[in-house]
Amino acid sequence: MTVTPQTHPVYVIGAGPGGLAVAAALRARGVRAVVLEKSDAVGDSWRHHYDRLRLHTTRRLSALPGLRMPRAFGRWVARADVVRYLEKYAEFHDLEIVTGVEVSRVERTGDGADSGTGDGAGDGADGGADGTWVLHATGGRRLVGAAVVVATGYNHTPRVPDWPGLDGFLAAPGRTFAHAGAYRNPEPYAGQDVLVVGAGNTGAEIAADLAAGGAGRVRLAVRTPPYILRRATLGWPAQRTGILVRRLPTGLVDRVARLLGGAVAADLSAYGIPRPDGGLYSRVRAGAIPVQDVGLVAAVKAGTVLPVAAVTGFDGPDVLLADGTRLTPDAVIAATGYDRALEPLLGHLDVLDEHGRPVSHGRRSPRRAPGLYFTGFTNPISGMFREMARDAEKIARAIGRTTRTLPPR
């Protein structure tokens, strides 16, 4: 296969771990990559996660291509150390990153398309007949790229259900409401009656954090009972099991998990969280990632976190639950997930499924959009950092087969 000179850079949208990993892997193969980041620093989402967050995957299995995580970070890396690592990673690989630039739309362009000017986002964005992609960005920029890698993140835009009566709760005196994305630590909730809505990993950890941090009462609204797994058993991390079972038949993994019972998943049915329906791995394949226990099980058993039914709506200062109960908490924290929010950027290209997720990831481009790649839009039980690192190498290999401008490192 012929390797042709690269007239335009590859643009990577997003300077989180996925985007940085792709840029480093491309640079190692002699491909110029320019990372565009809308905030003013790399790893912006990690800078705004709650304080007690740690990677649920081990340090050894979470490093990005070309740079290990320091042993001093410990086995379960803290949020602040993840940020330090991403900063060091960008510096170590001498990545070309332009901050303060937000891409609003990505379009395919044929040979000879009008490309406009780069305006500080990379010398290769000043036009040319061989450009294949045009990115519309902050300040009227029109950037031409040889390929585009979208790495804007799995947790992009906070999602809040359209609960009836929510406006009335927001207007009620003395009541506060926030999405989990705005939660940092328990301090503002000291002594308060707090309802956390959503029993995924984020909701479970925030509830445990509040209970340990001085909230007066903590309740956790559970719509779909999750599988709750130990982060490690006798030193063996759950992540390694996730890696081992990924290619095994779903039914087989379900049966083994059922036989192992409490050795695999916590049973909190006596404390108000029913056993989950369906097999563990069947649920994973359907997108329901198990909760890694970092304090919830102990808090529920101790009575410091009280499970309650799902939220169905609001009535003034009251929260309405599916079992008919009415609560009047001081604060509600909605751990109700995020949207990928890719439609404004890519919705016109027919590369998203009915749920707004990319139809392909890793080394595969969508059939209708060759040269467009995605990373970080899956939530695998084998670890997101690990899979982004693997995808980065695959994407770089796919692009590097035909494009090179820099001496390989």
Side-chain angles (χ1 to χ4, degrees), residues 29-90:
R29 286 167 175 77
V31 178
R32 183 184 175 209
V34 177
V35 182
L36 304 176
E37 168 56 44
K38 69 178 182 179
S39 72
D40 60 359
V42 303
D44 183 65
S45 64
W46 277 91
R47 296 173 188 275
H48 295 94
H49 286 315
Y50 46 94
D51 294 346
R52 75 167 264 170
L53 178 64
R54 290 180 177 269
L55 285 177
H56 291 167
T57 54
T58 68
R59 169 180 53 80
R60 288 175 179 264
L61 296 175
S62 300
L64 302 178
L67 184 65
R68 294 181 178 180
M69 288 188 172
R71 291 185 64 184
F73 286 178
R75 193 179 199 192
W76 312 103
V77 182
R79 177 198 63 82
D81 287 332
V82 171
V83 173
R84 294 186 187 98
Y85 174 71
L86 297 178
E87 291 173 339
K88 179 64 177 177
Y89 191 84

Side-chain angles (χ1 to χ4, degrees), residues 199-245:
N201 275 293
T202 298
E205 188 158 359
I206 287 176
D209 194 33
L210 287 164
R217 177 163 57 181
V218 181
R219 286 177 281 207
L220 178 64
V222 181
R223 183 183 63 177
T224 304
Y227 279 96
I228 304 174
L229 310 182
R230 294 181 177 87
R231 188 164 58 177
T233 302
L234 299 176
W236 177 266
Q239 180 189 9
R240 287 197 178 275
T241 302
I243 294 169
L244 291 175
V245 305

